[in-house]
Amino acid sequence: MKAIVHVVGARPNFMKLSPVYQAIRDTLPTVNQQIIHSGQHYDPIMSDVFFKQLHIPSPNINLSVNQGSAIEQIGQGILKLLPVLQDIQPDLVCIYGDVNAVAFASMVAAKLEIPIAHIESGLRSFDRQMPEETNRIVADALSDYLFTPSLDANDNLLKEGKHPDQIFFVGNVMIDTLIRFMPQIDSAKLPEIVPTTYGLVTLHRPTNVDQPKRFLEILDTLRRISERLPIVFPVHPRTQKHLDSDLSKSYPNIMFTSPMQYFEFIKLQKNATYVITDSGGVQEETTFLGVPCFTLRPNTERPVTSLVGTNILVGEHTRDLEKHINLFFEQGQKAAEVPPYWDGKASQRIAHIFKQILNL
Ligand code: UD1
Protein backbone atom coordinates (compact mmCIF):
# COMPACT_ATOMS: atom_id res chain seq x y z
CA MET A 1 0.00 0.00 0.00
CA LYS A 2 1.30 3.47 -0.92
CA ALA A 3 1.53 6.07 1.84
CA ILE A 4 1.39 9.86 1.75
CA VAL A 5 2.31 11.88 4.82
CA HIS A 6 0.95 15.44 5.12
CA VAL A 7 2.92 17.74 7.42
CA VAL A 8 1.03 20.82 8.65
CA GLY A 9 1.37 23.14 11.61
CA ALA A 10 -0.29 26.53 11.50
CA ARG A 11 -3.73 27.95 10.80
CA PRO A 12 -3.17 28.83 7.12
CA ASN A 13 -2.22 25.20 6.40
CA PHE A 14 -5.48 23.59 7.41
CA MET A 15 -7.72 25.04 4.67
CA LYS A 16 -5.11 23.82 2.14
CA LEU A 17 -4.81 20.32 3.60
CA SER A 18 -8.59 19.73 3.68
CA PRO A 19 -9.31 19.64 -0.08
CA VAL A 20 -6.07 17.81 -0.96
CA TYR A 21 -6.77 15.09 1.63
CA GLN A 22 -10.27 14.67 0.29
CA ALA A 23 -9.21 14.62 -3.38
CA ILE A 24 -6.63 11.91 -2.65
CA ARG A 25 -9.25 9.88 -0.77
CA ASP A 26 -11.65 10.19 -3.73
CA THR A 27 -9.15 9.61 -6.55
CA LEU A 28 -6.69 7.24 -4.86
CA PRO A 29 -8.75 5.39 -2.23
CA THR A 30 -6.10 2.74 -1.61
CA VAL A 31 -3.48 5.29 -0.50
CA ASN A 32 -2.77 5.38 3.24
CA GLN A 33 -2.79 9.05 4.26
CA GLN A 34 -1.31 10.21 7.54
CA ILE A 35 -1.37 13.70 9.04
CA ILE A 36 1.49 15.03 11.14
CA HIS A 37 0.77 18.26 13.04
CA SER A 38 3.86 20.21 14.04
CA GLY A 39 1.95 21.73 16.96
CA GLN A 40 2.98 25.30 16.03
CA HIS A 41 -0.61 26.49 16.44
CA TYR A 42 -1.94 24.79 19.54
CA ASP A 43 -4.90 26.88 20.75
CA PRO A 44 -8.16 25.10 19.87
CA ILE A 45 -9.40 28.23 18.06
CA MET A 46 -6.24 28.34 15.89
CA SER A 47 -6.24 24.62 15.07
CA ASP A 48 -8.89 22.12 16.28
CA VAL A 49 -11.86 24.13 15.02
CA PHE A 50 -10.43 24.02 11.49
CA PHE A 51 -10.04 20.23 11.59
CA LYS A 52 -13.64 19.95 12.76
CA GLN A 53 -15.27 22.45 10.36
CA LEU A 54 -13.25 21.31 7.33
CA HIS A 55 -13.77 17.56 7.91
CA ILE A 56 -10.07 16.79 8.35
CA PRO A 57 -9.33 13.62 10.36
CA SER A 58 -7.46 14.25 13.62
CA PRO A 59 -3.68 14.25 13.19
CA ASN A 60 -2.03 10.85 13.57
CA ILE A 61 0.90 12.47 15.35
CA ASN A 62 1.45 15.86 17.01
CA LEU A 63 5.10 16.87 17.30
CA SER A 64 4.33 19.64 19.87
CA VAL A 65 6.88 21.95 18.33
CA ASN A 66 5.61 25.26 19.68
CA GLN A 67 8.30 26.71 21.92
CA GLY A 68 10.87 29.35 21.12
CA SER A 69 11.73 31.30 18.01
CA ALA A 70 11.06 30.21 14.43
CA ILE A 71 14.57 28.80 14.04
CA GLU A 72 14.30 26.92 17.36
CA GLN A 73 11.00 25.44 16.16
CA ILE A 74 12.63 24.39 12.89
CA GLY A 75 15.48 22.74 14.82
CA GLN A 76 13.10 20.88 17.14
CA GLY A 77 10.97 19.92 14.17
CA ILE A 78 13.91 18.27 12.41
CA LEU A 79 14.75 16.22 15.49
CA LYS A 80 11.15 15.18 16.19
CA LEU A 81 10.05 14.45 12.62
CA LEU A 82 13.09 12.33 11.72
CA PRO A 83 12.16 9.15 13.67
CA VAL A 84 8.52 9.50 12.62
CA LEU A 85 9.30 9.52 8.89
CA GLN A 86 11.90 6.76 9.37
CA ASP A 87 9.16 4.68 10.92
CA ILE A 88 6.39 5.38 8.37
CA GLN A 89 8.63 5.34 5.26
CA PRO A 90 6.04 7.13 3.10
CA ASP A 91 6.14 7.26 -0.69
CA LEU A 92 5.52 11.03 -0.66
CA VAL A 93 5.63 13.86 1.86
CA CYS A 94 3.20 16.70 1.20
CA ILE A 95 3.92 20.17 2.58
CA TYR A 96 1.81 23.33 2.38
CA GLY A 97 2.62 27.00 2.03
CA ASP A 98 5.36 28.79 3.92
CA VAL A 99 5.06 28.05 7.64
CA ASN A 100 7.95 26.70 9.71
CA ALA A 101 6.84 23.09 9.11
CA VAL A 102 7.72 23.31 5.39
CA ALA A 103 11.33 24.15 6.25
CA PHE A 104 11.95 21.28 8.65
CA ALA A 105 9.79 18.69 6.85
CA SER A 106 11.54 19.31 3.52
CA MET A 107 14.93 19.02 5.18
CA VAL A 108 14.11 15.72 6.89
CA ALA A 109 12.33 14.16 3.88
CA ALA A 110 15.14 15.20 1.51
CA LYS A 111 17.79 13.64 3.80
CA LEU A 112 15.75 10.42 3.93
CA GLU A 113 15.35 10.55 0.12
CA ILE A 114 11.56 10.62 0.36
CA PRO A 115 9.98 12.56 -2.56
CA ILE A 116 8.41 15.88 -1.52
CA ALA A 117 5.38 17.65 -2.99
CA HIS A 118 5.15 21.36 -2.14
CA ILE A 119 1.68 22.79 -2.47
CA GLU A 120 1.52 26.57 -2.96
CA SER A 121 5.04 26.52 -4.34
CA GLY A 122 6.97 29.30 -6.07
CA LEU A 123 5.59 32.35 -4.22
CA ARG A 124 8.24 34.95 -3.44
CA SER A 125 8.12 38.31 -1.66
CA PHE A 126 11.88 38.80 -2.33
CA ASP A 127 12.06 40.04 1.25
CA ARG A 128 14.31 37.86 3.40
CA GLN A 129 13.25 39.78 6.52
CA MET A 130 9.95 37.94 6.31
CA PRO A 131 10.34 34.64 8.20
CA GLU A 132 8.21 32.87 5.60
CA GLU A 133 10.48 33.81 2.68
CA THR A 134 13.35 31.57 3.79
CA ASN A 135 10.85 28.77 4.47
CA ARG A 136 9.59 29.10 0.87
CA ILE A 137 13.09 29.08 -0.60
CA VAL A 138 14.22 26.06 1.43
CA ALA A 139 11.03 24.10 0.71
CA ASP A 140 11.17 24.73 -3.03
CA ALA A 141 14.89 24.00 -3.28
CA LEU A 142 14.36 20.57 -1.70
CA SER A 143 10.97 19.61 -3.16
CA ASP A 144 10.59 17.28 -6.12
CA TYR A 145 7.07 18.24 -7.23
CA LEU A 146 6.07 21.90 -7.20
CA PHE A 147 2.37 22.79 -7.33
CA THR A 148 1.80 26.47 -8.08
CA PRO A 149 -1.29 28.66 -7.52
CA SER A 150 -0.44 31.27 -10.17
CA LEU A 151 1.86 31.64 -13.18
CA ASP A 152 4.18 34.18 -11.50
CA ALA A 153 5.15 31.29 -9.21
CA ASN A 154 6.14 29.18 -12.24
CA ASP A 155 8.38 32.03 -13.42
CA ASN A 156 10.07 32.29 -10.02
CA LEU A 157 10.79 28.57 -9.94
CA LEU A 158 12.17 28.50 -13.48
CA LYS A 159 14.46 31.44 -12.64
CA GLU A 160 15.74 29.48 -9.64
CA GLY A 161 16.71 26.61 -11.94
CA LYS A 162 13.84 24.21 -11.36
CA HIS A 163 13.08 21.89 -14.28
CA PRO A 164 9.78 22.61 -16.10
CA ASP A 165 8.78 18.95 -15.65
CA GLN A 166 8.73 19.45 -11.86
CA ILE A 167 6.36 22.42 -11.97
CA PHE A 168 2.58 21.97 -12.10
CA PHE A 169 0.29 24.99 -12.35
CA VAL A 170 -2.80 23.63 -10.62
CA GLY A 171 -4.47 26.72 -9.13
CA ASN A 172 -5.30 27.69 -5.58
CA VAL A 173 -6.27 24.89 -3.17
CA MET A 174 -7.43 27.37 -0.53
CA ILE A 175 -10.12 28.55 -2.92
CA ASP A 176 -11.24 24.88 -3.28
CA THR A 177 -12.15 24.96 0.41
CA LEU A 178 -13.87 28.31 0.15
CA ILE A 179 -16.04 27.11 -2.74
CA ARG A 180 -16.80 23.72 -1.21
CA PHE A 181 -17.99 25.11 2.09
CA MET A 182 -19.86 28.17 0.75
CA PRO A 183 -23.29 26.95 2.01
CA GLN A 184 -21.91 26.57 5.56
CA ILE A 185 -20.16 29.95 5.26
CA ASP A 186 -23.37 31.65 4.17
CA SER A 187 -25.35 30.19 7.04
CA ALA A 188 -22.68 30.84 9.70
CA LYS A 189 -23.74 33.06 12.60
CA LEU A 190 -21.56 36.10 13.26
CA PRO A 191 -20.98 37.43 16.79
CA GLU A 192 -23.63 39.95 17.86
CA ILE A 193 -21.15 42.81 18.15
CA VAL A 194 -20.56 42.73 14.38
CA PRO A 195 -22.41 45.73 12.88
CA THR A 196 -24.35 45.58 9.58
CA THR A 197 -21.67 47.44 7.66
CA TYR A 198 -18.04 47.47 8.69
CA GLY A 199 -14.42 47.33 7.60
CA LEU A 200 -12.49 44.22 8.60
CA VAL A 201 -8.91 44.29 9.90
CA THR A 202 -6.43 41.44 10.45
CA LEU A 203 -2.83 42.11 11.43
CA HIS A 204 -0.27 39.66 12.79
CA ARG A 205 3.03 40.11 10.91
CA PRO A 206 5.96 40.70 13.28
CA THR A 207 6.91 43.90 11.37
CA ASN A 208 3.48 45.41 12.10
CA VAL A 209 2.66 44.19 15.60
CA ASP A 210 5.86 43.33 17.48
CA GLN A 211 7.28 46.89 17.86
CA PRO A 212 5.02 48.90 20.24
CA LYS A 213 5.69 52.23 18.46
CA ARG A 214 4.78 50.85 15.05
CA PHE A 215 1.74 48.99 16.32
CA LEU A 216 0.41 52.05 18.20
CA GLU A 217 0.82 54.15 15.06
CA ILE A 218 -1.24 51.60 13.12
CA LEU A 219 -3.91 51.48 15.85
CA ASP A 220 -4.09 55.26 15.85
CA THR A 221 -4.66 55.26 12.08
CA LEU A 222 -7.33 52.58 12.43
CA ARG A 223 -9.04 54.69 15.10
CA ARG A 224 -9.31 57.59 12.64
CA ILE A 225 -10.44 55.31 9.79
CA SER A 226 -13.08 53.75 12.06
CA GLU A 227 -14.75 57.12 12.59
CA ARG A 228 -16.14 56.79 9.05
CA LEU A 229 -17.16 53.13 9.24
CA PRO A 230 -16.79 50.84 12.27
CA ILE A 231 -14.06 48.23 12.15
CA VAL A 232 -14.14 44.57 13.24
CA PHE A 233 -10.71 43.28 14.27
CA PRO A 234 -10.35 39.53 15.12
CA VAL A 235 -7.09 39.44 17.02
CA HIS A 236 -4.38 36.83 16.34
CA PRO A 237 -2.57 35.49 19.48
CA ARG A 238 0.67 37.17 18.39
CA THR A 239 -1.14 40.54 18.17
CA GLN A 240 -3.06 39.98 21.41
CA LYS A 241 0.23 39.97 23.32
CA HIS A 242 0.71 43.62 22.35
CA LEU A 243 -2.79 44.89 23.12
CA ASP A 244 -3.89 46.45 26.41
CA SER A 245 -6.89 44.93 28.10
CA ASP A 246 -9.14 48.01 28.09
CA LEU A 247 -9.47 49.00 24.46
CA SER A 248 -13.07 50.12 24.26
CA LYS A 249 -12.30 53.63 25.57
CA SER A 250 -9.38 54.31 23.24
CA TYR A 251 -10.95 52.73 20.16
CA PRO A 252 -14.74 53.12 20.51
CA ASN A 253 -15.47 52.21 16.86
CA ILE A 254 -13.20 49.16 16.69
CA MET A 255 -14.70 45.82 17.75
CA PHE A 256 -11.81 43.62 18.88
CA THR A 257 -12.77 39.92 18.90
CA SER A 258 -11.09 36.55 19.45
CA PRO A 259 -9.82 34.71 16.36
CA MET A 260 -12.82 33.37 14.43
CA GLN A 261 -13.64 29.92 13.18
CA TYR A 262 -13.22 29.38 9.44
CA PHE A 263 -16.86 29.67 8.27
CA GLU A 264 -17.44 32.74 10.43
CA PHE A 265 -14.26 34.47 9.29
CA ILE A 266 -14.94 33.92 5.58
CA LYS A 267 -18.47 35.26 6.07
CA LEU A 268 -17.00 38.26 7.85
CA GLN A 269 -14.75 38.89 4.82
CA LYS A 270 -17.56 38.33 2.34
CA ASN A 271 -19.84 40.87 4.05
CA ALA A 272 -17.14 43.47 4.73
CA THR A 273 -17.12 46.81 2.90
CA TYR A 274 -13.35 46.52 2.73
CA VAL A 275 -10.54 44.54 4.39
CA ILE A 276 -7.23 45.80 5.74
CA THR A 277 -4.68 43.03 6.26
CA ASP A 278 -1.08 41.87 6.34
CA SER A 279 -1.99 38.19 5.84
CA GLY A 280 -1.17 36.25 2.69
CA GLY A 281 -4.31 34.12 2.60
CA VAL A 282 -6.68 37.04 3.17
CA GLN A 283 -5.31 38.80 0.05
CA GLU A 284 -6.35 35.70 -1.93
CA GLU A 285 -9.72 35.15 -0.28
CA THR A 286 -10.78 38.78 -0.79
CA THR A 287 -9.73 38.57 -4.44
CA PHE A 288 -11.94 35.52 -4.90
CA LEU A 289 -14.83 37.12 -2.98
CA GLY A 290 -14.51 40.43 -4.90
CA VAL A 291 -14.02 42.43 -1.68
CA PRO A 292 -11.60 45.42 -1.74
CA CYS A 293 -8.43 44.58 0.17
CA PHE A 294 -5.70 46.97 1.40
CA THR A 295 -2.46 45.22 2.29
CA LEU A 296 -0.28 47.01 4.84
CA ARG A 297 3.05 45.59 3.69
CA PRO A 298 5.88 46.79 1.47
CA ASN A 299 5.61 43.72 -0.75
CA THR A 300 3.51 40.67 -1.45
CA GLU A 301 4.41 37.13 -2.45
CA ARG A 302 0.98 37.01 -4.13
CA PRO A 303 1.28 39.70 -6.87
CA VAL A 304 -1.62 38.22 -8.83
CA THR A 305 -4.00 39.53 -6.15
CA SER A 306 -3.03 43.13 -6.90
CA LEU A 307 -2.33 42.76 -10.63
CA VAL A 308 -5.61 40.94 -11.35
CA GLY A 309 -7.61 40.90 -8.11
CA THR A 310 -9.07 43.35 -5.61
CA ASN A 311 -5.90 43.82 -3.59
CA ILE A 312 -4.08 47.15 -3.28
CA LEU A 313 -0.54 46.92 -1.95
CA VAL A 314 -0.50 50.00 0.26
CA GLY A 315 3.13 49.80 1.41
CA GLU A 316 4.19 50.10 5.01
CA HIS A 317 3.25 53.72 5.71
CA THR A 318 0.04 54.26 7.65
CA ARG A 319 -0.60 57.64 5.97
CA ASP A 320 -0.81 55.77 2.65
CA LEU A 321 -3.33 53.39 4.17
CA GLU A 322 -5.51 56.32 5.19
CA LYS A 323 -5.11 57.87 1.73
CA HIS A 324 -6.17 54.65 -0.02
CA ILE A 325 -9.20 54.17 2.24
CA ASN A 326 -10.32 57.76 1.59
CA LEU A 327 -9.85 57.24 -2.16
CA PHE A 328 -11.93 54.08 -1.96
CA PHE A 329 -14.78 55.97 -0.29
CA GLU A 330 -14.60 58.70 -2.94
CA GLN A 331 -14.05 56.61 -6.09
CA GLY A 332 -15.26 53.10 -5.27
CA GLN A 333 -13.37 49.88 -5.80
CA LYS A 334 -11.00 49.03 -8.62
CA ALA A 335 -11.98 46.67 -11.44
CA ALA A 336 -10.87 43.12 -10.67
CA GLU A 337 -11.06 39.51 -11.81
CA VAL A 338 -10.56 36.09 -10.27
CA PRO A 339 -7.19 34.62 -11.40
CA PRO A 340 -7.18 31.54 -13.66
CA TYR A 341 -7.62 28.12 -12.03
CA TRP A 342 -9.00 29.55 -8.79
CA ASP A 343 -11.99 27.42 -9.62
CA GLY A 344 -12.44 24.84 -6.86
CA LYS A 345 -10.63 22.08 -8.77
CA ALA A 346 -6.95 22.59 -7.88
CA SER A 347 -6.89 19.64 -5.46
CA GLN A 348 -8.41 17.30 -8.03
CA ARG A 349 -5.64 18.30 -10.44
CA ILE A 350 -3.08 17.54 -7.74
CA ALA A 351 -4.60 14.12 -6.98
CA HIS A 352 -4.45 13.15 -10.66
CA ILE A 353 -0.79 14.12 -10.81
CA PHE A 354 -0.12 12.13 -7.60
CA LYS A 355 -1.66 9.13 -9.36
CA GLN A 356 1.03 9.31 -12.03
CA ILE A 357 3.81 10.03 -9.52
CA LEU A 358 2.86 6.99 -7.43
CA ASN A 359 2.30 4.77 -10.50
CA LEU A 360 -1.25 3.94 -9.44
C1 UD1 B 1 2.39 31.75 11.66
C2 UD1 B 1 3.09 31.63 10.31
C3 UD1 B 1 2.54 32.69 9.36
C4 UD1 B 1 1.03 32.65 9.28
C5 UD1 B 1 0.46 32.75 10.66
C6 UD1 B 1 -1.05 32.66 10.61
C7 UD1 B 1 5.45 30.92 10.27
C8 UD1 B 1 6.84 31.39 10.10
N1 UD1 B 1 4.51 31.88 10.42
O1 UD1 B 1 2.78 32.98 12.24
O2 UD1 B 1 3.07 32.45 8.07
O3 UD1 B 1 0.58 33.73 8.51
O4 UD1 B 1 0.99 31.68 11.45
O5 UD1 B 1 -1.63 32.49 11.83
O6 UD1 B 1 5.22 29.73 10.30
N2 UD1 B 1 0.43 31.47 19.70
C9 UD1 B 1 -0.58 31.24 20.59
N3 UD1 B 1 -1.49 30.28 20.27
C10 UD1 B 1 -1.43 29.57 19.11
C11 UD1 B 1 -0.41 29.85 18.21
C12 UD1 B 1 0.51 30.83 18.51
O7 UD1 B 1 -0.66 31.86 21.64
O8 UD1 B 1 -2.27 28.68 18.87
C13 UD1 B 1 1.46 32.47 20.04
C14 UD1 B 1 2.85 31.83 19.96
O9 UD1 B 1 3.18 31.24 21.17
C15 UD1 B 1 3.74 32.98 19.56
C16 UD1 B 1 2.79 33.89 18.77
O10 UD1 B 1 1.46 33.50 19.09
O11 UD1 B 1 4.22 33.66 20.67
C17 UD1 B 1 3.05 33.80 17.31
O12 UD1 B 1 2.84 32.49 16.84
P1 UD1 B 1 3.83 31.77 15.82
O13 UD1 B 1 3.35 30.39 15.65
O14 UD1 B 1 5.22 32.00 16.25
O15 UD1 B 1 3.71 32.54 14.46
P2 UD1 B 1 2.51 33.30 13.78
O16 UD1 B 1 2.74 34.76 13.99
O17 UD1 B 1 1.20 32.72 14.22
Side-chain angles (χ1 to χ4, degrees):
M1 189 195 266
K2 302 275 187 184
I4 296 179
V5 161
H6 305 269
V7 186
V8 289
R11 184 170 64 179
N13 283 160
F14 309 135
M15 53 289 258
K16 296 167 195 164
L17 165 66
S18 165
V20 176
Y21 189 96
Q22 198 203 321
I24 296 171
R25 199 172 44 195
D26 294 347
T27 313
L28 309 167
T30 59
V31 168
N32 168 20
Q33 299 193 72
Q34 300 219 21
I35 298 173
I36 300 179
H37 194 313
S38 76
Q40 180 179 347
H41 283 179
Y42 48 86
D43 287 341
I45 192 70
M46 298 297 285
S47 179
D48 300 5
V49 292
F50 289 82
F51 279 76
K52 215 172 179 180
Q53 285 196 327
L54 304 179
H55 303 177
I56 311 169
S58 297
N60 300 78
I61 292 168
N62 191 316
L63 302 175
S64 299
V65 172
N66 52 28
Q67 297 299 310
S69 64
I71 191 65
E72 286 168 322
Q73 289 187 14
I74 290 169
Q76 287 173 36
I78 289 176
L79 295 176
K80 291 191 172 178
L81 183 62
L82 178 66
V84 175
L85 287 190
Q86 277 171 327
D87 183 40
I88 303 173
Q89 300 268 343
D91 298 280
L92 192 66
V93 167
C94 225
I95 55 177
Y96 298 83
D98 56 19
V99 301
N100 296 326
V102 302
F104 71 74
S106 57
M107 185 66 99
V108 175
K111 283 283 180 196
L112 296 177
E113 297 182 22
I114 302 165
I116 307 164
H118 185 203
I119 291 161
E120 198 188 87
S121 169
L123 299 184
R124 295 288 180 273
S125 66
F126 303 102
D127 175 1
R128 295 262 179 121
Q129 283 186 326
M130 223 184 148
E132 292 79 5
E133 184 73 353
T134 41
N135 292 343
R136 294 180 195 116
I137 293 168
V138 169
D140 284 335
L142 297 175
S143 292
D144 302 275
Y145 305 103
L146 306 157
F147 295 94
T148 63
S150 49
L151 287 168
D152 53 281
N154 289 44
D155 293 342
N156 293 335
L157 293 169
L158 290 170
K159 278 186 205 139
E160 289 175 17
K162 287 291 179 180
H163 195 279
D165 290 352
Q166 294 178 280
I167 306 170
F168 305 91
F169 170 46
V170 289
N172 192 327
V173 292
M174 208 174 67
I175 302 302
D176 293 1
T177 299
L178 209 159
I179 292 173
R180 174 176 168 211
F181 288 101
M182 197 49 93
Q184 291 89 328
I185 291 164
D186 283 336
S187 53
K189 204 169 161 339
L190 294 180
E192 276 175 14
I193 55 156
V194 174
T196 327
T197 54
Y198 56 89
L200 173 64
V201 172
T202 83
L203 295 170
H204 73 279
R205 297 235 95 79
T207 47
N208 281 335
V209 303
D210 281 1
Q211 305 296 330
K213 188 168 168 271
R214 164 80 179 153
F215 189 38
L216 274 176
E217 184 191 303
I218 295 175
L219 284 173
D220 198 43
T221 306
L222 293 178
R223 189 183 43 70
R224 281 197 300 279
I225 291 175
S226 70
E227 284 163 11
R228 195 163 195 166
L229 182 71
I231 279 176
V232 180
F233 188 163
V235 182
H236 184 282
R238 168 171 224 115
T239 314
Q240 185 61 50
K241 291 186 178 163
H242 305 285
L243 277 176
D244 293 337
S245 48
D246 189 13
L247 293 157
S248 51
K249 282 202 202 91
S250 315
Y251 308 101
N253 299 319
I254 304 182
M255 286 45 147
F256 295 92
T257 76
S258 306
M260 300 236 174
Q261 305 190 41
Y262 179 78
F263 298 154
E264 288 71 11
F265 184 65
I266 300 288
K267 183 165 185 173
L268 205 59
Q269 287 188 69
K270 198 176 172 186
N271 292 353
T273 303
Y274 65 79
V275 177
I276 295 170
T277 195
D278 59 10
S279 150
V282 170
Q283 295 172 54
E284 299 184 333
E285 287 163 345
T286 46
T287 272
F288 181 80
L289 295 167
V291 175
C293 179
F294 300 91
T295 298
L296 190 59
R297 283 175 42 184
N299 49 52
T300 177
E301 64 289 340
R302 292 160 162 91
V304 73
T305 59
S306 57
L307 288 171
V308 175
T310 59
N311 190 19
I312 290 179
L313 190 60
V314 165
E316 56 197 332
H317 298 298
T318 47
R319 62 172 181 274
D320 292 330
L321 176 64
E322 224 168 332
K323 201 173 75 190
H324 277 289
I325 295 286
N326 287 337
L327 263 179
F328 163 69
F329 277 110
E330 283 155 26
Q331 300 178 359
Q333 82 179 89
K334 71 183 228 197
E337 283 172 29
V338 175
Y341 274 19
W342 291 23
D343 59 358
K345 295 181 184 143
S347 307
Q348 288 169 31
R349 294 185 192 103
I350 291 172
H352 285 290
I353 296 163
F354 281 179
K355 193 170 178 200
Q356 293 164 25
I357 293 172
L358 297 173
N359 291 319
L360 287 168

